[in-house]
Coordinates of all heavy atoms in Angstrom, one line a residue:
T405 N -10.7 -1.5 -2.1 CA -11.1 -2.2 -0.8 C -10.2 -1.8 0.3 O -10.5 -2.1 1.5 CB -11.0 -3.7 -1.0 OG1 -9.7 -4.1 -1.4 CG2 -12.1 -4.2 -2.1
N406 N -9.1 -1.2 0.0 CA -8.1 -0.7 1.1 C -8.3 0.8 1.3 O -7.4 1.5 1.8 CB -6.7 -1.0 0.7 CG -6.4 -2.5 0.9 OD1 -6.1 -2.9 2.1 ND2 -6.4 -3.3 -0.1
K407 N -9.4 1.3 0.9 CA -9.7 2.8 1.0 C -9.5 3.3 2.4 O -8.9 4.4 2.7 CB -11.1 3.1 0.5 CG -11.6 4.5 0.8 CD -12.6 4.5 1.9 CE -13.2 5.8 2.1 NZ -14.2 5.8 3.2
D408 N -9.9 2.5 3.4 CA -9.8 2.9 4.8 C -8.3 3.0 5.3 O -8.0 3.9 6.2 CB -10.5 2.0 5.8 CG -12.0 2.1 5.6 OD1 -12.5 3.2 5.4 OD2 -12.7 1.1 5.7
A409 N -7.4 2.2 4.7 CA -6.0 2.4 5.0 C -5.5 3.7 4.4 O -4.6 4.3 5.1 CB -5.2 1.2 4.4
I410 N -5.9 4.1 3.3 CA -5.6 5.4 2.7 C -6.1 6.5 3.6 O -5.4 7.5 3.9 CB -6.1 5.5 1.3 CG1 -5.5 4.4 0.4 CG2 -5.7 6.9 0.7 CD1 -4.1 4.4 0.1
K411 N -7.3 6.4 4.0 CA -7.9 7.4 4.8 C -7.2 7.6 6.1 O -7.0 8.7 6.6 CB -9.4 7.0 5.1 CG -10.1 8.1 6.0 CD -11.6 7.8 6.2 CE -12.3 8.9 6.9 NZ -13.7 8.7 7.1
A412 N -6.7 6.5 6.7 CA -6.0 6.5 7.9 C -4.7 7.3 7.7 O -4.2 8.0 8.7 CB -5.6 5.1 8.4
A413 N -4.1 7.3 6.5 CA -2.9 8.0 6.3 C -3.1 9.5 6.1 O -2.2 10.3 6.5 CB -2.2 7.4 5.0
F414 N -4.2 9.9 5.7 CA -4.5 11.3 5.4 C -5.5 12.0 6.3 O -5.7 13.2 6.3 CB -4.8 11.5 3.9 CG -3.7 11.1 3.0 CD1 -3.8 9.9 2.3 CD2 -2.6 11.9 2.9 CE1 -2.8 9.5 1.5 CE2 -1.6 11.4 2.0 CZ -1.7 10.2 1.3
D415 N -6.2 11.2 7.1 CA -7.3 11.7 8.0 C -7.4 10.8 9.2 O -8.4 10.4 9.6 CB -8.6 11.8 7.3 CG -9.7 12.6 8.1 OD1 -9.3 13.3 9.0 OD2 -10.9 12.4 7.8
E416 N -6.2 10.6 9.8 CA -6.2 9.7 11.0 C -7.0 10.2 12.1 O -7.7 9.5 12.8 CB -4.7 9.5 11.5 CG -4.6 8.6 12.7 CD -5.0 7.2 12.5 OE1 -5.3 6.8 11.4 OE2 -5.0 6.5 13.5
E417 N -7.0 11.5 12.4 CA -7.8 12.1 13.5 C -9.3 11.9 13.2 O -10.0 11.5 14.2 CB -7.4 13.6 13.6 CG -8.1 14.3 14.8 CD -7.7 13.7 16.1 OE1 -6.6 13.2 16.2 OE2 -8.4 13.9 17.1
G418 N -9.7 12.2 12.0 CA -11.1 12.0 11.7 C -11.6 10.6 11.8 O -12.6 10.3 12.3
R419 N -10.7 9.6 11.4 CA -11.0 8.2 11.5 C -11.1 7.8 12.9 O -12.1 7.1 13.3 CB -9.9 7.4 10.8 CG -10.2 5.9 10.7 CD -9.0 5.1 10.2 NE -8.0 5.1 11.2 CZ -7.9 4.2 12.2 NH1 -8.9 3.3 12.3 NH2 -6.9 4.2 13.0
K420 N -10.2 8.2 13.8 CA -10.3 7.8 15.2 C -11.5 8.4 15.9 O -12.2 7.7 16.7 CB -9.0 8.3 15.9 CG -7.8 7.5 15.6 CD -6.6 8.0 16.4 CE -5.3 7.1 16.2 NZ -4.2 7.6 16.9
K421 N -11.8 9.7 15.6 CA -12.9 10.3 16.3 C -14.2 9.7 16.0 O -15.1 9.7 16.8 CB -12.9 11.8 16.1 CG -11.8 12.6 16.8 CD -11.8 14.1 16.4 CE -13.0 14.8 17.1 NZ -13.0 14.7 18.5
A422 N -14.3 9.2 14.7 CA -15.5 8.6 14.3 C -15.6 7.2 14.7 O -16.7 6.5 14.5 CB -15.6 8.7 12.8
G423 N -14.6 6.6 15.3 CA -14.6 5.2 15.7 C -14.7 4.2 14.6 O -15.3 3.2 14.7
E424 N -14.0 4.5 13.5 CA -14.0 3.7 12.3 C -13.0 2.5 12.4 O -11.9 2.7 12.8 CB -13.8 4.5 11.0 CG -14.8 5.6 10.8 CD -14.4 6.5 9.7 OE1 -13.3 6.3 9.1 OE2 -15.3 7.4 9.3
F425 N -13.5 1.3 12.1 CA -12.6 0.2 12.1 C -12.8 -0.6 10.7 O -13.9 -0.7 10.2 CB -12.9 -0.8 13.2 CG -12.6 -0.1 14.6 CD1 -13.6 0.6 15.2 CD2 -11.4 -0.3 15.1 CE1 -13.3 1.2 16.4 CE2 -11.1 0.3 16.4 CZ -12.0 1.1 17.0
F426 N -11.7 -1.1 10.2 CA -11.7 -1.7 8.9 C -12.0 -3.1 8.9 O -11.5 -3.9 9.8 CB -10.3 -1.5 8.3 CG -10.1 -2.1 6.9 CD1 -10.8 -1.6 5.9 CD2 -9.1 -3.1 6.7 CE1 -10.6 -2.2 4.6 CE2 -8.9 -3.6 5.5 CZ -9.7 -3.1 4.4
T427 N -12.9 -3.6 8.0 CA -13.3 -5.0 7.9 C -12.7 -5.6 6.6 O -13.1 -5.2 5.5 CB -14.8 -5.1 7.8 OG1 -15.4 -4.6 9.0 CG2 -15.2 -6.6 7.8
P428 N -11.7 -6.4 6.7 CA -11.1 -7.0 5.5 C -12.1 -7.8 4.7 O -13.0 -8.4 5.3 CB -10.0 -7.9 6.1 CG -9.7 -7.4 7.5 CD -11.0 -6.8 8.0
I429 N -11.9 -7.9 3.4 CA -12.9 -8.6 2.6 C -13.0 -10.1 3.0 O -14.0 -10.7 3.0 CB -12.4 -8.5 1.1 CG1 -12.7 -7.1 0.6 CG2 -13.2 -9.6 0.3 CD1 -14.2 -6.8 0.4
V430 N -11.8 -10.7 3.4 CA -11.8 -12.1 3.8 C -12.8 -12.4 5.0 O -13.4 -13.4 5.0 CB -10.4 -12.6 4.0 CG1 -9.8 -11.9 5.3 CG2 -10.4 -14.1 4.2
W431 N -12.8 -11.4 5.9 CA -13.7 -11.6 7.1 C -15.2 -11.4 6.6 O -16.1 -12.1 7.1 CB -13.4 -10.6 8.1 CG -12.1 -10.8 8.8 CD1 -11.1 -11.8 8.5 CD2 -11.5 -10.1 9.9 NE1 -10.0 -11.7 9.3 CE2 -10.2 -10.7 10.2 CE3 -11.9 -9.0 10.6 CZ2 -9.4 -10.2 11.2 CZ3 -11.1 -8.5 11.6 CH2 -9.8 -9.1 11.9
A432 N -15.4 -10.4 5.7 CA -16.7 -10.2 5.2 C -17.3 -11.4 4.5 O -18.4 -11.8 4.8 CB -16.7 -9.0 4.3
E433 N -16.5 -12.1 3.7 CA -16.9 -13.2 3.0 C -17.2 -14.4 3.9 O -18.0 -15.3 3.6 CB -15.9 -13.6 1.9 CG -15.9 -12.5 0.8 CD -15.0 -12.8 -0.4 OE1 -14.1 -13.7 -0.2 OE2 -15.1 -12.2 -1.4
E434 N -16.5 -14.5 5.0 CA -16.7 -15.5 6.0 C -18.1 -15.3 6.6 O -18.9 -16.2 6.9 CB -15.6 -15.5 7.1 CG -15.7 -16.7 8.1 CD -15.4 -18.0 7.4 OE1 -14.7 -18.0 6.3 OE2 -15.8 -19.0 8.0
A435 N -18.5 -14.0 6.9 CA -19.8 -13.7 7.4 C -20.9 -14.1 6.4 O -21.9 -14.6 6.8 CB -19.9 -12.2 7.8
H436 N -20.6 -13.9 5.1 CA -21.6 -14.2 4.1 C -21.9 -15.7 4.2 O -23.0 -16.2 4.0 CB -21.0 -13.9 2.7 CG -20.7 -12.4 2.5 ND1 -19.9 -12.0 1.5 CD2 -21.1 -11.3 3.3 CE1 -19.8 -10.6 1.6 NE2 -20.5 -10.2 2.7
K437 N -20.8 -16.5 4.4 CA -21.0 -18.0 4.5 C -21.9 -18.4 5.6 O -22.8 -19.3 5.5 CB -19.6 -18.7 4.6 CG -18.7 -18.5 3.4 CD -17.4 -19.2 3.7 CE -16.4 -19.0 2.6 NZ -15.1 -19.5 2.9
Y438 N -21.8 -17.7 6.8 CA -22.7 -18.1 7.9 C -24.1 -17.7 7.6 O -25.1 -18.4 7.9 CB -22.2 -17.3 9.1 CG -21.1 -18.0 9.9 CD1 -19.8 -17.6 9.7 CD2 -21.3 -19.1 10.7 CE1 -18.7 -18.2 10.3 CE2 -20.3 -19.7 11.4 CZ -19.0 -19.3 11.2 OH -18.0 -19.9 11.8
L439 N -24.3 -16.5 6.9 CA -25.7 -16.2 6.5 C -26.2 -17.1 5.5 O -27.4 -17.5 5.6 CB -25.7 -14.7 6.0 CG -25.5 -13.6 7.1 CD1 -25.3 -12.3 6.4 CD2 -26.7 -13.6 8.0
D440 N -25.4 -17.6 4.6 CA -25.9 -18.5 3.6 C -26.3 -19.8 4.2 O -27.3 -20.5 3.8 CB -24.7 -18.8 2.6 CG -24.5 -17.7 1.6 OD1 -25.4 -16.9 1.4 OD2 -23.3 -17.6 1.1
K441 N -25.6 -20.2 5.3 CA -25.9 -21.5 6.0 C -27.3 -21.4 6.6 O -28.1 -22.4 6.6 CB -24.8 -21.8 7.0 CG -25.1 -23.1 7.8 CD -23.9 -23.3 8.7 CE -24.1 -24.6 9.5 NZ -23.0 -24.9 10.5
Y442 N -27.6 -20.3 7.3 CA -28.8 -20.2 8.1 C -30.0 -19.5 7.4 O -31.1 -19.7 7.8 CB -28.5 -19.5 9.5 CG -27.5 -20.3 10.3 CD1 -26.2 -19.9 10.5 CD2 -28.0 -21.5 10.9 CE1 -25.3 -20.6 11.3 CE2 -27.1 -22.2 11.7 CZ -25.8 -21.8 11.9 OH -24.9 -22.5 12.6
I443 N -29.7 -18.6 6.5 CA -30.7 -17.9 5.8 C -30.3 -17.9 4.3 O -29.9 -16.9 3.7 CB -30.9 -16.4 6.2 CG1 -30.9 -16.3 7.8 CG2 -32.1 -15.8 5.7 CD1 -30.9 -14.9 8.3
P444 N -30.5 -19.0 3.6 CA -30.1 -19.2 2.2 C -30.5 -18.2 1.2 O -29.8 -17.9 0.3 CB -30.6 -20.6 1.9 CG -30.8 -21.3 3.2 CD -31.2 -20.2 4.1
N445 N -31.7 -17.6 1.5 CA -32.3 -16.6 0.5 C -32.0 -15.2 0.9 O -32.7 -14.3 0.4 CB -33.8 -16.9 0.3 CG -34.5 -16.8 1.6 OD1 -33.9 -16.9 2.7 ND2 -35.8 -16.5 1.5
W446 N -31.1 -14.9 1.8 CA -31.0 -13.6 2.4 C -30.5 -12.6 1.3 O -30.9 -11.4 1.4 CB -30.0 -13.6 3.5 CG -28.5 -13.8 3.2 CD1 -27.9 -15.0 2.9 CD2 -27.5 -12.8 3.1 NE1 -26.6 -14.8 2.6 CE2 -26.3 -13.4 2.7 CE3 -27.5 -11.4 3.2 CZ2 -25.1 -12.8 2.5 CZ3 -26.3 -10.7 3.0 CH2 -25.1 -11.4 2.7
R447 N -29.8 -13.0 0.3 CA -29.2 -12.0 -0.7 C -30.3 -11.5 -1.6 O -30.2 -10.4 -2.2 CB -28.1 -12.7 -1.5 CG -26.9 -13.2 -0.7 CD -26.0 -14.0 -1.6 NE -25.0 -14.8 -0.9 CZ -23.8 -14.5 -0.8 NH1 -23.3 -13.3 -1.4 NH2 -22.9 -15.2 -0.1
T448 N -31.4 -12.3 -1.8 CA -32.4 -11.9 -2.8 C -33.7 -11.6 -2.2 O -34.5 -10.7 -2.8 CB -32.6 -13.1 -3.8 OG1 -32.9 -14.3 -3.1 CG2 -31.3 -13.3 -4.6
D449 N -34.1 -12.2 -1.1 CA -35.5 -12.1 -0.6 C -35.6 -11.2 0.6 O -36.7 -10.9 1.0 CB -36.1 -13.5 -0.3 CG -36.2 -14.4 -1.5 OD1 -36.1 -13.8 -2.6 OD2 -36.4 -15.6 -1.4
Y450 N -34.5 -10.9 1.2 CA -34.5 -10.1 2.4 C -34.1 -8.6 2.1 O -33.3 -8.4 1.2 CB -33.6 -10.6 3.5 CG -34.3 -11.7 4.3 CD1 -34.5 -13.0 3.8 CD2 -34.7 -11.4 5.6 CE1 -35.1 -14.0 4.6 CE2 -35.3 -12.4 6.4 CZ -35.5 -13.7 5.9 OH -36.1 -14.6 6.6
N451 N -34.6 -7.7 2.8 CA -34.1 -6.3 2.9 C -32.9 -6.4 3.8 O -33.0 -6.9 4.9 CB -35.1 -5.4 3.4 CG -36.4 -5.3 2.5 OD1 -36.3 -4.9 1.3 ND2 -37.5 -5.8 3.0
V452 N -31.8 -5.8 3.4 CA -30.6 -5.9 4.2 C -30.1 -4.4 4.5 O -30.0 -3.6 3.6 CB -29.4 -6.6 3.5 CG1 -28.2 -6.6 4.3 CG2 -29.9 -8.0 3.1
W453 N -29.9 -4.1 5.8 CA -29.4 -2.8 6.1 C -28.0 -3.0 6.8 O -27.9 -3.5 7.9 CB -30.3 -2.1 7.1 CG -30.0 -0.7 7.5 CD1 -28.9 0.0 7.1 CD2 -30.6 0.1 8.5 NE1 -28.9 1.2 7.7 CE2 -29.9 1.3 8.5 CE3 -31.8 -0.1 9.2 CZ2 -30.3 2.3 9.4 CZ3 -32.2 0.9 10.1 CH2 -31.4 2.1 10.1
E454 N -27.0 -2.4 6.1 CA -25.6 -2.3 6.7 C -25.5 -0.9 7.3 O -25.3 0.0 6.5 CB -24.6 -2.6 5.7 CG -23.3 -3.3 6.2 CD -22.4 -2.5 7.1 OE1 -23.0 -1.9 8.0 OE2 -21.2 -2.5 6.9
M455 N -25.7 -0.7 8.6 CA -25.9 0.7 9.1 C -24.6 1.3 9.5 O -24.6 2.5 9.9 CB -26.9 0.7 10.2 CG -26.3 0.4 11.6 SD -26.3 -1.4 11.9 CE -28.0 -1.7 12.2
S456 N -23.5 0.6 9.4 CA -22.1 1.2 9.7 C -21.2 0.8 8.6 O -20.2 0.2 8.8 CB -21.6 0.9 11.1 OG -21.6 -0.6 11.2
C457 N -21.6 1.1 7.3 CA -20.9 0.5 6.2 C -19.5 1.0 5.8 O -18.8 0.3 5.2 CB -21.8 0.6 4.9 SG -22.1 2.4 4.4
G458 N -19.2 2.2 6.3 CA -17.8 2.7 5.9 C -17.7 2.7 4.4 O -18.5 3.2 3.7
S459 N -16.6 2.0 3.9 CA -16.3 2.0 2.5 C -17.0 0.8 1.8 O -16.9 0.6 0.6 CB -14.8 1.8 2.2 OG -14.3 0.7 2.9
G460 N -17.8 0.0 2.6 CA -18.7 -1.0 2.0 C -18.1 -2.4 1.9 O -18.6 -3.2 1.2
N461 N -17.0 -2.6 2.6 CA -16.3 -3.9 2.5 C -17.2 -5.1 2.9 O -17.1 -6.2 2.4 CB -15.0 -3.9 3.3 CG -13.8 -3.5 2.6 OD1 -14.0 -2.9 1.5 ND2 -12.6 -3.7 3.0
L462 N -18.0 -4.9 3.9 CA -18.9 -6.0 4.4 C -19.9 -6.4 3.4 O -20.3 -7.6 3.4 CB -19.6 -5.5 5.7 CG -20.1 -6.6 6.6 CD1 -19.0 -7.6 7.1 CD2 -20.8 -6.1 7.9
I463 N -20.3 -5.6 2.5 CA -21.3 -5.9 1.6 C -20.9 -5.9 0.1 O -21.6 -6.3 -0.8 CB -22.5 -4.9 1.7 CG1 -22.0 -3.5 1.7 CG2 -23.3 -5.2 3.0 CD1 -23.1 -2.4 1.7
R464 N -19.6 -5.5 -0.2 CA -19.2 -5.3 -1.5 C -19.3 -6.5 -2.4 O -19.7 -6.5 -3.5 CB -17.8 -4.7 -1.6 CG -17.2 -4.5 -3.0 CD -15.9 -3.9 -3.0 NE -15.9 -2.5 -2.6 CZ -15.3 -2.0 -1.5 NH1 -14.7 -2.8 -0.7 NH2 -15.4 -0.7 -1.2
T465 N -18.9 -7.7 -1.8 CA -18.9 -8.9 -2.6 C -20.1 -9.8 -2.3 O -20.1 -11.0 -2.6 CB -17.6 -9.7 -2.3 OG1 -17.5 -10.1 -0.9 CG2 -16.4 -8.9 -2.6
A466 N -21.1 -9.3 -1.6 CA -22.2 -10.1 -1.1 C -23.3 -10.4 -2.3 O -24.1 -11.3 -2.1 CB -23.0 -9.4 0.0
R467 N -23.3 -9.6 -3.3 CA -24.2 -9.8 -4.4 C -25.7 -9.7 -4.0 O -26.5 -10.5 -4.3 CB -23.9 -11.1 -5.2 CG -22.5 -11.2 -5.7 CD -22.3 -12.4 -6.6 NE -22.7 -13.6 -5.8 CZ -21.9 -14.2 -4.9 NH1 -20.7 -13.7 -4.6 NH2 -22.3 -15.3 -4.3
I468 N -26.0 -8.7 -3.1 CA -27.3 -8.5 -2.6 C -28.1 -7.8 -3.7 O -27.6 -6.8 -4.3 CB -27.3 -7.7 -1.3 CG1 -26.5 -8.5 -0.3 CG2 -28.7 -7.5 -0.8 CD1 -26.1 -7.6 1.0
T469 N -29.4 -8.2 -3.9 CA -30.3 -7.5 -4.8 C -30.3 -6.0 -4.5 O -30.6 -5.6 -3.4 CB -31.7 -8.0 -4.8 OG1 -31.6 -9.4 -5.0 CG2 -32.6 -7.3 -5.8
P470 N -29.8 -5.1 -5.4 CA -29.6 -3.7 -5.1 C -30.8 -3.0 -4.4 O -30.6 -2.2 -3.4 CB -29.2 -3.0 -6.4 CG -28.7 -4.2 -7.2 CD -29.4 -5.4 -6.8
E471 N -32.0 -3.2 -4.9 CA -33.1 -2.5 -4.3 C -33.4 -2.9 -2.9 O -34.2 -2.3 -2.2 CB -34.3 -2.6 -5.2 CG -34.8 -4.0 -5.5 CD -34.2 -4.6 -6.8 OE1 -33.1 -4.2 -7.2 OE2 -34.9 -5.5 -7.4
H472 N -32.9 -4.1 -2.5 CA -33.1 -4.6 -1.2 C -32.0 -4.1 -0.2 O -32.1 -4.4 1.0 CB -33.2 -6.1 -1.2 CG -34.4 -6.6 -1.9 ND1 -34.6 -8.0 -2.1 CD2 -35.5 -6.0 -2.4 CE1 -35.7 -8.2 -2.7 NE2 -36.3 -7.0 -2.9
L473 N -30.9 -3.5 -0.7 CA -29.8 -3.2 0.1 C -29.7 -1.7 0.5 O -29.8 -0.8 -0.3 CB -28.5 -3.5 -0.7 CG -27.2 -3.2 0.0 CD1 -27.0 -3.9 1.3 CD2 -26.0 -3.5 -0.9
F474 N -29.6 -1.5 1.8 CA -29.5 -0.2 2.4 C -28.2 -0.1 3.1 O -27.8 -0.9 3.9 CB -30.7 0.1 3.4 CG -32.0 0.1 2.7 CD1 -32.7 -1.1 2.6 CD2 -32.6 1.2 2.3 CE1 -33.9 -1.2 2.0 CE2 -33.8 1.2 1.7 CZ -34.5 0.0 1.5
A475 N -27.4 1.0 2.8 CA -26.1 1.2 3.4 C -26.0 2.6 4.0 O -26.2 3.6 3.3 CB -25.0 0.9 2.3
S476 N -25.7 2.7 5.3 CA -25.6 4.0 5.9 C -24.3 4.1 6.6 O -23.7 3.1 7.1 CB -26.8 4.2 6.9 OG -26.8 3.3 7.9
T477 N -23.8 5.3 6.8 CA -22.5 5.6 7.4 C -22.5 7.1 7.9 O -23.4 7.9 7.5 CB -21.4 5.3 6.5 OG1 -20.1 5.6 7.1 CG2 -21.4 6.2 5.2
L478 N -21.5 7.4 8.7 CA -21.4 8.8 9.2 C -20.9 9.7 8.1 O -21.3 10.9 8.1 CB -20.5 8.8 10.4 CG -20.9 8.2 11.7 CD1 -19.7 8.2 12.7 CD2 -22.1 8.9 12.3
Q479 N -20.0 9.2 7.2 CA -19.3 10.1 6.4 C -19.8 10.2 5.0 O -20.1 9.2 4.3 CB -17.8 9.6 6.3 CG -17.2 9.3 7.6 CD -17.0 10.5 8.5 OE1 -17.0 11.6 8.0 NE2 -16.7 10.3 9.8
Q480 N -19.9 11.4 4.4 CA -20.4 11.6 3.1 C -19.4 11.1 2.1 O -19.8 10.6 1.0 CB -20.6 13.1 2.8 CG -21.1 13.4 1.4 CD -22.4 12.8 1.1 OE1 -23.3 12.8 1.9 NE2 -22.5 12.2 -0.1
D481 N -18.1 11.1 2.4 CA -17.1 10.6 1.4 C -17.3 9.1 1.2 O -17.0 8.5 0.2 CB -15.7 10.9 1.8 CG -15.2 10.5 3.1 OD1 -16.0 9.8 3.8 OD2 -14.1 10.8 3.5
D482 N -17.7 8.4 2.3 CA -18.0 7.0 2.2 C -19.2 6.7 1.2 O -19.2 5.8 0.4 CB -18.3 6.3 3.5 CG -17.1 6.2 4.4 OD1 -16.0 6.0 3.9 OD2 -17.2 6.2 5.6
I483 N -20.3 7.6 1.4 CA -21.4 7.5 0.5 C -21.0 7.7 -1.0 O -21.4 7.0 -1.9 CB -22.5 8.5 0.9 CG1 -23.0 8.2 2.3 CG2 -23.7 8.4 -0.1 CD1 -23.6 6.8 2.5
D484 N -20.2 8.7 -1.2 CA -19.7 9.0 -2.5 C -18.9 7.8 -3.1 O -19.1 7.4 -4.3 CB -18.8 10.2 -2.5 CG -19.5 11.5 -2.1 OD1 -20.7 11.5 -2.3 OD2 -18.8 12.5 -1.7
L485 N -18.1 7.2 -2.3 CA -17.4 6.0 -2.7 C -18.3 4.8 -3.1 O -18.2 4.2 -4.1 CB -16.4 5.6 -1.7 CG -15.6 4.3 -2.0 CD1 -14.8 4.4 -3.2 CD2 -14.6 4.0 -0.8

Side-chain angles (χ1 to χ4, degrees):
T405 59
N406 283 279
K407 171 251 183 183
D408 290 325
I410 300 293
K411 181 175 184 176
F414 298 104
D415 188 19
E416 177 66 7
E417 183 64 22
R419 187 188 70 84
K420 284 183 176 180
K421 287 180 71 63
E424 297 174 354
F425 294 89
F426 179 60
T427 303
I429 288 291
V430 64
W431 292 5
E433 292 182 342
E434 189 67 21
H436 301 163
K437 293 177 183 178
Y438 278 99
L439 286 171
D440 288 338
K441 180 178 180 180
Y442 295 107
I443 314 176
N445 59 338
W446 72 280
R447 300 172 193 258
T448 56
D449 296 347
Y450 275 75
N451 300 294
V452 179
W453 183 5
E454 215 291 47
M455 84 276 284
S456 54
C457 64
S459 58
N461 271 16
L462 197 58
I463 51 177
R464 180 177 288 115
T465 63
R467 302 184 305 281
I468 301 167
T469 303
E471 58 266 30
H472 293 172
L473 177 59
F474 298 85
S476 62
T477 182
L478 292 171
Q479 311 295 343
Q480 180 59 46
D481 59 3
D482 287 332
I483 298 300
D484 295 339
L485 176 59

